[in-house]
């Protein structure tokens, strides 16, 4: 194939214009660098407006023309104008530098394509009498490898010059050799056209298409198009039926995800491969450095230090890389991946693996292309959004702000695509759009449903969507009428559906909870001491509390570890389930109440004294937390639910404020104590209630609430205290008399100014901001919390009734409840219809986001 040659005109004089004219006569393309001055600017200006030649020439060259020079210049410029299709103009001031490859490529291809139409200045054209005027020869047909190739394309004509009988193998070897000299990032798709450099794509496509071997040999083109991020070529090749050769997958990861010049063990590399390494070093190494140990008999390349004697290293085949990418995906999202076998000829798996590559390589346009060609678009899009969000946080942790922002924007784009699919599907087919939220699928080893996955990964917009809410109502009312009156009437007509509905179990659970609170309160108020404990009714109250607590604690354990969840819920690992459970504020309150109740039970029965003071305190504290737990019943209410969410969010702000305040309080308290009671040697003596640390904290803490205690700080209060050292050192419960120190009052004045005007107003401002934020998103947050309740009571049985059904649930039929019938042909037909519906809907939103 001939070497593409182009002349670049940068600045120059009159002689260079003549040289450009001569090059065009010899069918060489010329690139004019507009903005470089003199000859280059004159040529570009003449091509735009020939009438300004005299004025532009005088200004640009700054010389005085005579008649002969000007006549010669006009002749050159007119000749250049006639062959303007071979001239490319690049504006140095306005065009992006990456557009230069586009300009050069178009000029070269334009010159080659009309080679026979341009007269040769040294050879006189011979007219073919047999040809009619205005016709072009269509050429002859060549046969290669039983393939018929028409000799009309630009690529074939140039290839024939270098090969007497070019075959399909010749073409393939030529492209393979040319591929080695291609830089994968030479182009930016924003400024490139199909004729842009490298010309490898342009000629390769023509050759394979004419030899009718595009589907078989096209993967080599597809690989280079993917590495160069050429979305236009990828679309064309995929539409022409070209399938990606998965044997190229290791090369694709090695050249796009791993860092060139960065060793894998290098600790200061902050690129994508290093971020993946922080997630799982083993899988990341398989992904970015694809080597495995093989025997000497195979095609080995280099010795690796980790290999055993008698083994060498070779490039790993694609299944290992694809499996490593899927395991990394599961590791990022904390799911227990399914080890499904990768099929060699499965087109869907190829598209899926390439989509995962685009996520790790952060190729937005290519990710959209492969997402549109995948299946289960909604769940796949949500998983992509979650992976990108996690990678964005990892990049932010290592202060890679630019990469973090790019990944976050890509994540939001995928989430917006999913929401758009849900919008359109809900408008066109409401019933199937609602059922779609529960359709289970396995993507990259992650088995889940769209609604469950969105909930587990805190996608508030997806969970709060109308499709999701309709699906929740369907679960909440157990497919019964979503209104209170007809729902209550169904207790007679459809008792099974009524009593197994989550709403019924929710109401009954809190009725039992309230009954327990009444009995618990009566027990704490009257029956802790042995004097009243002899009454039988007191024992009934106490043991009912214990039974209720045991049953409720079992339900919480099931909720935490998912022992009785249906298959569509989740396949996350135990640690992720526990973290997700502990993330909920109400679950922490539940665990605190159980801990206090168990502690009170042990104190009550194993630490017996006459008054049971400690047991009474523990039971009372446990009861207090139980009453706080009962507030969760209002979380399902549309009006009071957002109020509880606001209180929960404000508690987070308060916790942050307390962390700041504790250091201020300690610092001020130590100053007070050191100067009012100097050289106090008994800080930790005596019972823990008499430790001096409480005195240190006491005064500055209560000053936050305007309790000044000035009589103690100025040393004027000498009552109920002693100055005898031996007395207060021997008995820490006896107060030591304060000493007068004017600096204490000065520090107290500054502290009160700082604490009351700054710290307290700061936390008030934080509360105001939180209130506005929650109020703005109250509906979204409430719907998210509502799903938590609905999901729990889908399988939950009120305590202590659940103790009766516990053996049946765990032994007889574990996890069977609410499972879909996989043998139902109608269900499979509807599921397949929803998959096709997703694909059609996804194509509707193409290029709209």
């Amino acid at each position: 194939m001939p070497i593409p040659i182009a002349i670049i005109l940068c600045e120059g004089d009159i002689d260079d214009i003549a040289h450009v004219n001569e090059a065009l006569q010899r069918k060489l393309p010329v690139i004019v660098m507009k903005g470089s001055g003199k000859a280059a600017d004159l040529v570009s200006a003449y091509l735009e407006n020939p009438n300004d030649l005299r004025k532009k020439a005088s200004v640009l060259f700054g010389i005085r023309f005579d008649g002969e020079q000007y006549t010669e210049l006009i002749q050159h410029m007119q000749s250049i104008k006639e062959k303007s299709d071979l001239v490319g103009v690049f504006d140095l001031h306005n065009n992006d530098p990456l557009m230069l490859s586009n300009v050069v490529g178009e000029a070269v291809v334009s010159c080659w394509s009309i080679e026979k139409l341009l007269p040769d200045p040294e050879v006189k054209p011979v007219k073919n009498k047999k040809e009619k005027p205005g016709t072009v020869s269509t050429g002859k047909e060549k046969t290669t490898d039983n393939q018929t190739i028409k000799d009309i394309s630009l690529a074939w004509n140039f290839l024939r010059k270098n090969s007497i009988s070019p075959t399909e193998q010749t073409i393939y070897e030529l492209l393979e050799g040319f591929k080695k000299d291609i830089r994968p990032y030479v182009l930016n798709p924003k400024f490139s056209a199909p004729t842009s450099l490298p010309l490898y794509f342009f000629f390769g496509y023509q050759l394979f298409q004419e030899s009718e071997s595009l589907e078989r040999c096209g993967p080599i083109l597809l690989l280079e198009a993917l590495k160069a991020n050429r979305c236009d070529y990828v679309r064309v090749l995929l539409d022409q039926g070209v399938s990606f050769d998965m044997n190229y997958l290791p090369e694709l990861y090695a050249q796009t995800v791993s860092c060139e010049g960065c060793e894998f063990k290098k600790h200061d590399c902050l690129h994508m491969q290093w971020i993946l390494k922080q997630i799982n070093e083993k899988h990341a190494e398989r992904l970015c450095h694809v080597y495995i140990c093989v025997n000497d008999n195979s095609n080995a390349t280099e010795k690796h230090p980790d290999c055993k004697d008698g083994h060498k290293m070779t490039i790993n085949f694609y299944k290992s890389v694809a499996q490593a990418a899927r395991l990394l995906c599961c590791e990022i999202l904390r799911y227990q991946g399914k080890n499904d076998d990768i099929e060699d000829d499965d087109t869907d798996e190829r598209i899926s693996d390439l989509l995962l590559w685009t996520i790790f390589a952060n190729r937005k346009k290519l990710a959209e292309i492969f997402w549109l060609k995948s299946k289960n678009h909604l769940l796949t899009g949500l998983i992509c959004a979650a992976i990108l969000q996690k990678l964005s946080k990892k990049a932010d942790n290592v202060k890679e702000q630019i990469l973090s922002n790019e990944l976050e924007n890509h994540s939001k784009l995928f989430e917006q695509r999913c929401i758009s699919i849900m919008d359109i599907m809900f408008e066109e087919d409401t019933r199937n759009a609602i059922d779609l939220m529960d359709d289970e699928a396995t993507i990259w080893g992650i088995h889940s449903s769209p609604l469950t996955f969105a909930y587990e990964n805190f996608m508030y917009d997806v969970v709060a969507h109308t499709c999701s809410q309709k699906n929740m109502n369907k679960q909440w009312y157990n497919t019964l009428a979503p209104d209170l009156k007809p729902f209550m009437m169904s207790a007679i007509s459809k008792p099974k559906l009524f009593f197994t509905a989550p709403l019924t179990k929710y109401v009954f659970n809190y009725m039992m909870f309230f009954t327990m609170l009444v009995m618990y309160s009566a027990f704490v108020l009257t029956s802790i001491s042995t004097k009243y404990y002899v009454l039988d009714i007191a024992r009934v109250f106490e043991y009912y509390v214990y039974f209720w607590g045991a049953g409720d604690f079992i339900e919480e354990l099931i909720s935490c570890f998912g022992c009785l969840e249906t298959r569509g819920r989740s396949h996350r690992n135990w640690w992720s389930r526990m973290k997700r459970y502990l993330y909920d504020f109400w679950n922490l309150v539940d665990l605190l109440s159980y801990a206090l109740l168990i502690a009170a039970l042990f104190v009550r029965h194993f630490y017996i004294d006459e008054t049971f003071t400690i047991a009474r305190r523990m039971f009372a504290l446990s009861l207090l937390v139980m009453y706080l737990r009962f507030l969760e019943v209002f979380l399902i209410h549309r009006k009071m639910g957002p109020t509880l969410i606001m209180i929960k969010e404000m508690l987070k702000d308060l916790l942050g404020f307390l962390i700041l305040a504790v250091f201020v309080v300690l610092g001020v308290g130590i100053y007070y104590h050191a100067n009012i009671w100097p050289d106090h040697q008994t800080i930790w003596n005596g019972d823990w209630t008499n430790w001096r640390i409480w005195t240190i904290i006491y005064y500055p803490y209560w000053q936050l609430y305007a309790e000044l205690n000035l009589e103690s700080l100025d040393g004027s209060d000498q009552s109920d205290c002693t100055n005898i050292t031996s007395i207060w050192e021997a008995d820490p419960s006896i107060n030591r008399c304060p000493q007068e120190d004017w600096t204490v009052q000065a520090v107290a004045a500054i502290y009160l100014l700082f604490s009351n005007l700054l710290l307290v107003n700061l936390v008030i401002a934080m509360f105001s901001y939180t209130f506005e934020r929650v109020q703005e998103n109250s509906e979204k947050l409430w719907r998210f919390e509502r799903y938590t309740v609905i999901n729990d009571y889908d399988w939950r049985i009120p305590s202590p009734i659940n103790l009766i059904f516990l053996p049946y649930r765990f032994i007889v039929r574990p996890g069977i409840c609410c499972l879909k019938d996989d043998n139902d042909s109608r269900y499979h037909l509807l599921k397949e219809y929803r998959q096709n519906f997703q694909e059609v809907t996804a194509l509707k939103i193409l290029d709209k986001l």
Side-chain angles (χ1 to χ4, degrees):
M1 188 173 292
I3 299 174
I5 299 176
I7 304 296
I8 296 181
L9 176 62
C10 184
E11 196 181 12
D13 53 17
I14 297 178
D15 293 336
D16 291 317
I17 294 179
H19 181 66
V20 167
N21 181 30
E22 184 180 356
L24 293 175
Q25 298 301 325
R26 294 182 178 277
K27 296 169 284 187
L28 290 176
V30 175
I31 311 301
V32 178
M33 310 302 287
K34 180 181 178 181
S36 60
K38 293 190 178 182
D41 286 1
L42 182 63
V43 172
S44 62
Y46 184 82
L47 293 177
E48 295 175 359
N49 188 2
N51 298 326
D52 293 340
L53 176 63
R54 181 176 300 178
K55 179 179 179 180
K56 292 287 185 182
S58 301
V59 173
L60 291 172
F61 288 105
I63 61 176
R64 182 177 178 179
F65 287 93
D66 56 21
E68 184 178 352
Q69 282 181 321
Y70 188 70
T71 302
E72 184 180 354
L73 177 64
I74 291 177
Q75 292 176 354
H76 288 319
M77 299 300 290
Q78 289 176 346
S79 180
I80 292 173
K81 179 70 174 179
E82 292 176 358
K83 295 179 175 57
S84 60
D85 51 347
L86 304 183
V87 179
V89 179
F90 180 79
D91 194 337
L92 289 172
H93 299 301
N94 298 322
N95 291 350
D96 189 281
L98 294 173
M99 289 186 65
L100 181 60
S101 63
N102 184 23
V103 175
V104 175
E106 288 182 348
V108 171
V109 174
S110 176
C111 179
W112 285 353
S113 62
I114 59 175
E115 180 186 17
K116 292 183 179 181
L117 300 179
L118 296 176
D120 193 329
E122 299 179 357
V123 180
K124 295 183 179 180
V126 179
K127 186 175 181 181
N128 189 351
K129 298 181 180 180
K130 296 183 180 180
E131 294 182 0
K132 296 181 180 180
T135 62
V136 180
S137 176
T138 59
K140 300 179 181 179
E141 294 185 348
K142 301 291 181 181
T143 303
T144 63
D145 291 349
N146 298 326
Q147 301 284 346
T148 300
I149 304 178
K150 293 184 177 180
D151 182 14
I152 61 173
S153 74
L154 179 64
W156 181 259
N157 283 323
F158 283 125
L159 181 62
R160 188 182 57 179
K161 294 178 181 180
N162 297 322
S163 178
I164 299 175
S165 179
T167 63
E168 184 178 331
Q169 182 65 26
T170 304
I171 300 171
Y172 192 82
E173 292 176 355
L174 177 66
L175 293 176
E176 275 287 352
F178 192 39
K179 185 187 74 168
K180 297 178 181 179
D181 299 326
I182 300 296
R183 288 182 298 164
Y185 300 109
V186 73
L187 295 179
N188 187 326
K190 183 178 180 181
F191 307 111
S192 303
T195 55
S196 301
L197 295 176
L199 298 173
Y200 167 79
F201 294 113
F202 180 79
F203 291 103
Y205 184 80
Q206 281 193 351
L207 292 173
F208 286 147
Q209 194 173 40
E210 290 194 3
S211 63
E212 297 181 359
S213 59
L214 185 61
E215 292 186 10
R216 187 168 66 86
C217 302
I220 187 177
L221 291 175
L222 183 57
L223 171 65
E224 294 303 316
L226 291 173
K227 289 194 294 186
N229 200 19
R230 290 304 305 268
C231 304
D232 46 359
Y233 283 111
V234 172
R235 285 194 182 97
V236 171
L237 292 172
L238 291 177
D239 291 341
Q240 292 295 325
V242 176
S243 297
F244 182 75
D245 187 351
M246 296 302 291
N247 292 314
Y248 289 138
L249 188 64
E251 180 182 352
L252 192 60
Y253 271 103
Q255 294 193 21
T256 57
V257 177
S258 61
C259 309
E260 295 183 3
C262 292
E263 297 179 1
F264 191 78
K265 300 294 184 181
K266 196 174 181 180
H267 295 289
D268 58 350
C269 170
L270 302 179
H271 301 95
M272 182 59 75
Q273 78 163 17
W274 189 83
I275 294 173
L276 296 177
K277 173 188 172 183
Q278 305 309 306
I279 299 171
N280 190 297
E281 184 173 357
K282 178 182 176 181
H283 299 328
E285 186 171 4
R286 289 171 59 194
L287 200 67
C288 299
H289 295 266
V290 284
Y291 295 102
I292 58 172
C293 289
V294 295
N295 294 324
D296 284 332
N297 296 330
S298 60
N299 297 325
T301 57
E302 59 178 281
K303 179 70 176 175
H304 192 274
D306 294 337
C307 284
K308 299 177 181 180
D309 295 336
H311 291 74
K312 295 182 180 179
M313 302 300 297
T314 187
I315 297 180
N316 191 4
F317 65 109
Y318 79 91
K319 287 187 178 181
S320 178
V321 176
Q323 191 66 29
R326 296 182 183 188
L327 292 175
L328 260 178
C329 172
C330 297
E331 188 74 20
I332 291 171
L333 299 177
R334 304 297 182 185
Y335 280 84
Q336 293 178 344
K338 287 190 171 183
N339 296 323
D340 296 334
D341 293 333
I342 300 176
E343 300 293 337
D344 294 334
D345 299 327
D346 195 334
T347 304
D348 295 333
E349 285 195 356
R350 292 183 182 183
I351 297 296
S352 180
D353 288 330
L354 286 175
L355 175 58
L356 187 55
W357 163 77
T358 62
I359 298 302
F360 289 142
N362 195 28
R363 302 287 181 87
K364 293 184 179 180
K365 290 294 184 181
L366 290 177
E368 182 183 28
I369 293 173
F370 291 111
W371 176 69
L372 291 172
K373 291 186 174 295
S374 63
K375 288 188 176 181
N376 301 296
H377 294 75
L378 183 56
L379 181 58
T380 303
L382 293 176
I383 294 177
C384 291
I387 295 174
L388 289 166
Q389 186 64 32
K390 295 290 186 181
L391 292 176
S392 174
K393 292 181 179 179
K394 289 286 185 181
D396 185 66
N397 292 338
V398 296
K399 307 302 182 292
E400 279 290 300
Q401 299 297 335
I402 296 177
L403 178 60
S404 176
N405 293 335
E406 290 178 354
L407 292 170
E408 184 177 4
N409 293 333
H410 198 181
S411 173
K412 292 180 179 178
L413 181 60
F414 260 110
E415 187 172 351
Q416 188 58 43
R417 287 170 182 158
C418 295
I419 293 175
S420 299
I421 286 180
M422 296 166 68
D423 289 336
I424 297 175
M425 293 185 67
F426 186 79
E427 292 178 0
E428 297 184 1
D429 192 342
T430 303
R431 183 180 296 276
N432 280 288
I434 295 172
D435 294 338
L436 173 63
M437 304 307 297
D438 275 336
D439 280 350
E440 304 167 15
T442 302
I443 309 295
W444 301 318
I446 298 174
H447 185 84
S448 188
S449 61
L451 181 55
T452 300
F453 185 86
Y455 169 74
E456 290 177 338
N457 291 275
F458 302 100
M459 297 180 178
Y460 292 92
D461 292 327
V462 177
V463 176
H465 194 271
T466 308
C467 288
S468 303
Q469 292 302 305
K470 292 286 187 181
N471 187 281
M472 292 181 199
N473 290 334
K474 185 178 178 181
Q475 297 179 42
W476 186 235
Y477 294 95
N478 204 14
T479 69
L480 297 175
D483 190 53
L484 187 58
K485 185 176 179 180
F487 179 75
M488 297 300 294
M489 296 297 295
S490 62
I492 302 175
S493 58
K494 300 178 180 180
K496 183 177 180 180
L497 292 177
F498 175 80
F499 287 106
T500 56
L503 175 57
T504 305
K505 292 186 285 185
Y506 178 80
V507 173
F508 189 70
N509 179 72
Y510 278 96
M511 289 174 60
M512 302 293 291
F513 194 178
F514 183 75
T515 304
M516 185 277 302
L517 286 178
V518 173
M519 294 185 178
Y520 200 0
S521 301
F523 165 67
V524 171
L525 290 172
T526 63
S527 306
I528 299 296
S529 178
T530 54
K531 181 179 179 181
Y532 299 97
Y533 189 67
V534 294
L535 300 177
D536 292 337
I537 190 64
R539 296 187 179 184
V540 172
F541 288 168
E542 181 182 7
Y543 286 105
Y544 178 79
V545 172
Y546 296 157
F547 278 110
W548 181 91
D552 199 61
F553 183 64
I554 291 173
E555 295 297 320
E556 290 297 326
L557 289 178
I558 294 173
S559 177
C560 178
F561 298 106
C563 305
L564 299 179
E565 291 175 350
T566 58
R567 287 180 302 177
R569 264 304 310 275
S570 173
H571 286 270
R572 309 190 82 176
N573 55 40
W574 299 111
W575 174 242
S576 298
R577 290 173 183 267
M578 186 177 298
K579 286 177 61 178
R580 180 65 181 84
Y581 177 84
L582 296 177
Y583 181 85
D584 194 333
F585 169 78
W586 297 105
N587 291 333
L588 293 178
V589 177
D590 294 344
L591 294 178
L592 179 60
S593 67
Y594 299 137
L596 292 174
L597 181 59
I598 293 173
L601 186 149
F602 278 93
V603 172
R604 173 76 171 84
H605 294 281
F606 296 100
Y607 184 75
I608 301 175
D609 59 3
E610 294 181 359
T611 60
F612 289 92
T613 302
I614 299 178
R616 183 181 294 104
R617 291 173 181 172
M618 296 297 296
F619 276 118
L621 186 59
S622 173
L623 179 61
L624 172 61
V625 178
M626 291 287 187
Y627 272 104
L628 294 178
R629 276 189 62 188
F630 191 78
L631 292 176
E632 191 178 3
V633 70
F634 303 108
L635 192 63
I636 204 70
H637 194 268
R638 184 177 291 273
K639 297 296 182 183
M640 300 187 68
T643 304
L644 290 176
I645 296 175
M646 289 179 188
I647 295 174
K648 180 187 70 173
E649 295 298 322
M650 288 179 180
L651 285 175
K652 295 179 182 178
D653 296 336
L654 183 60
L655 181 61
F657 168 77
L658 291 177
I659 294 175
L660 298 176
V662 66
F663 292 97
V664 178
V665 169
L666 280 174
V668 175
I670 290 174
Y671 185 89
Y672 288 170
H673 195 279
N675 292 276
I676 298 176
W677 298 283
D679 300 326
H680 198 91
Q681 301 295 325
T682 57
I683 301 296
W684 306 102
N685 290 358
D687 187 57
W688 68 272
T689 57
N690 294 320
W691 287 349
R692 207 62 184 175
I693 187 65
W694 311 124
T695 305
I696 293 174
I697 297 174
Y698 178 85
Y699 293 102
Y701 176 77
W702 289 110
Q703 282 179 340
L704 289 173
Y705 310 106
E707 187 67 33
L708 303 181
N709 294 308
L710 293 179
E711 64 280 358
S712 298
L713 296 179
D714 60 12
S716 59
D717 187 8
Q718 298 291 326
S719 61
D720 194 21
C721 63
T722 181
N723 284 318
I724 302 175
T725 305
S726 60
I727 296 178
W728 57 260
E729 283 186 349
D731 189 358
S733 63
I734 298 177
N735 294 328
R736 178 186 176 187
C737 292
Q739 296 184 11
E740 183 179 356
D741 191 329
W742 67 269
T743 62
V744 172
Q745 298 182 49
V747 171
I750 298 173
Y751 168 68
L752 289 172
L753 183 68
F754 175 77
S755 62
N756 285 274
L757 294 183
L758 181 60
L759 291 181
V760 175
N761 285 282
L762 174 63
V763 74
I764 293 174
M766 293 169 61
F767 286 164
S768 300
Y769 172 75
T770 301
F771 176 84
E772 293 176 0
R773 177 174 57 86
V774 175
Q775 185 69 22
E776 182 180 357
N777 302 301
S778 60
E779 187 71 15
K780 184 190 304 183
L781 296 173
W782 173 76
R783 290 182 175 183
F784 187 86
E785 295 291 343
R786 180 171 177 256
Y787 180 71
T788 304
V789 177
I790 295 174
N791 196 45
D792 284 344
Y793 284 89
D794 186 32
W795 49 264
R796 193 179 187 116
I797 298 178
S799 176
I801 301 175
N802 64 322
L803 296 176
I804 302 174
F805 297 96
L806 198 60
Y808 175 79
R809 296 168 74 188
F810 276 97
I811 300 176
V812 181
R813 300 181 65 190
I816 301 298
C817 179
C818 304
L819 290 179
K820 297 179 179 66
D821 186 6
D822 291 340
N823 296 323
D824 189 355
S825 59
R826 183 175 180 273
Y827 167 74
H828 284 288
L829 289 175
L830 289 174
K831 187 174 181 179
E832 183 178 359
Y833 164 75
R834 288 192 288 269
Q835 287 184 357
N836 296 331
F837 195 9
Q838 291 180 73
E839 182 177 1
V840 173
T841 308
L843 292 173
K844 289 182 179 179
I845 64 172
L846 180 62
D847 297 330
K848 291 184 179 179
L849 298 176

